[in-house]
Amino acid sequence: KAGVTQTPRYLIKTRGQQVTLSCSPISGHRSVSWYQQTPGQGLQFLFEYFSETQRNKGNFPGRFSGRQFSNSRSEMNVSTLELGDSALYLCASSLELTGELFFGEGSRLTVL
Amino acid sequence: GENVEQHPSTLSVQEGDSAVIKCTYSDSASNYFPWYKQELGKRPQLIIDIRSNVGEKKDQRIAVTLNKTAKHFSLHITETQPEDSAVYFCAAANTGNQFYFGTGTSLTVIP
């Protein structure tokens, strides 16, 4: 069974630009969540989607948004990039309503 | 919202010794407490989890204990090996897959 796939793996953007990250969950997993990982801050929850509906949203500004498609694939978008948005963005899928998260390898975003 | 605190931030142990990592949480509604291991440059992976109706769970050299009254849970690794070296994250969740993670413990096992 294929794992969680995230694209792109690495990207460099400049301040003010916008970026879209993609996540393909494990087949059969309907829950997809996104986390921002930075040194010293650990993993911070961005949002979670289940069957195309956003179930939960973390404490991030409105510049961070996401969506989920009918095939459970998910995208997150960050508009008007700031230097502080540089981070590893991890996507995770889950089979259960509250259960084990299967993480992708992440998309490493650098904002210059 | 939930707040998860994790200690220590770094931990060094001799091979064969035990390692203990502690976490506290603030929301009494949290009922699922997983632990994830992240090796350098790799994705986090679940190593053990516990739900609120259980006080302790063990899987070979790894155990987790939960004290709901005190709102804390701990990871215990016995007979540590060099391959246990990694960053460990605790987390707490209520309903849905909205997890609140601790800031991580970097464990180094010295051969």
Side-chain angles (χ1 to χ4, degrees):
Chain A
K1 208 176 208 181
V4 177
T5 304
Q6 291 187 245
T7 58
R9 292 289 316 280
Y10 303 91
L11 64 166
I12 300 173
K13 294 285 186 178
T14 56
R15 278 181 299 174
Q17 286 187 310
Q18 67 95 27
V19 66
T20 298
L21 309 178
S22 180
C23 172
S24 292
I26 292 173
S27 178
H29 288 195
R30 289 193 291 166
S31 167
V32 175
S33 49
W34 290 87
Y35 290 84
Q36 182 193 66
Q37 185 173 26
T38 54
Q41 292 276 26
L43 289 85
Q44 293 188 287
F45 174 77
L46 282 154
F47 27 67
E48 186 223 356
Y49 290 88
F50 187 89
S51 294
E52 301 180 68
T53 300
Q54 186 179 87
R55 277 206 299 189
N56 294 293
K57 190 177 191 307
N59 208 17
F60 277 82
R63 301 185 296 108
F64 291 80
S65 63
R67 58 178 175 169
Q68 187 181 33
F69 302 96
S70 58
N71 62 357
S72 292
R73 191 177 70 84
S74 177
E75 288 181 348
M76 69 163 280
N77 183 278
V78 188
S79 63
T80 320
L81 285 166
E82 300 177 359
L83 295 178
D85 297 333
S86 294
L88 180 68
Y89 290 88
L90 290 165
C91 166
S93 72
S94 181
L95 184 61
E96 302 172 75
L97 288 176
T98 304
E100 179 176 2
L101 299 179
F102 293 85
F103 285 91
E105 293 186 285
S107 293
R108 185 166 295 282
L109 170 65
T110 301
V111 182
L112 302 176
Chain B
E2 175 65 279
N3 180 46
V4 177
E5 294 190 357
Q6 181 172 348
H7 300 281
S9 56
T10 60
L11 179 60
S12 291
V13 299
Q14 291 290 137
E15 183 177 357
D17 286 351
S18 295
V20 180
I21 303 170
K22 298 182 179 182
C23 288
T24 60
Y25 62 98
S26 60
D27 189 351
S28 56
S30 290
N31 54 23
Y32 176 60
F33 307 92
W35 286 87
Y36 284 82
K37 175 184 180 182
Q38 186 175 29
E39 297 177 5
L40 192 62
K42 297 194 175 180
R43 70 191 81 188
Q45 291 190 299
L46 180 74
I47 55 171
I48 196 167
D49 57 9
I50 192 167
R51 296 194 185 263
S52 58
N53 57 348
V54 176
E56 185 174 359
K57 185 177 179 181
K58 192 173 180 181
D59 183 4
Q60 299 183 343
R61 298 185 296 108
I62 295 173
V64 57
T65 57
L66 171 65
N67 184 326
K68 284 217 72 178
T69 303
K71 295 198 190 73
H72 66 70
F73 56 113
S74 302
L75 177 71
H76 304 252
I77 306 175
T78 58
E79 299 171 22
T80 53
Q81 301 167 2
E83 51 266 37
D84 294 329
S85 295
V87 178
Y88 292 80
F89 292 96
C90 63
N94 183 356
T95 55
N97 286 313
Q98 178 173 3
F99 288 81
Y100 294 88
F101 283 85
T103 50
T105 296
S106 178
L107 173 65
T108 302
V109 179
I110 304 165

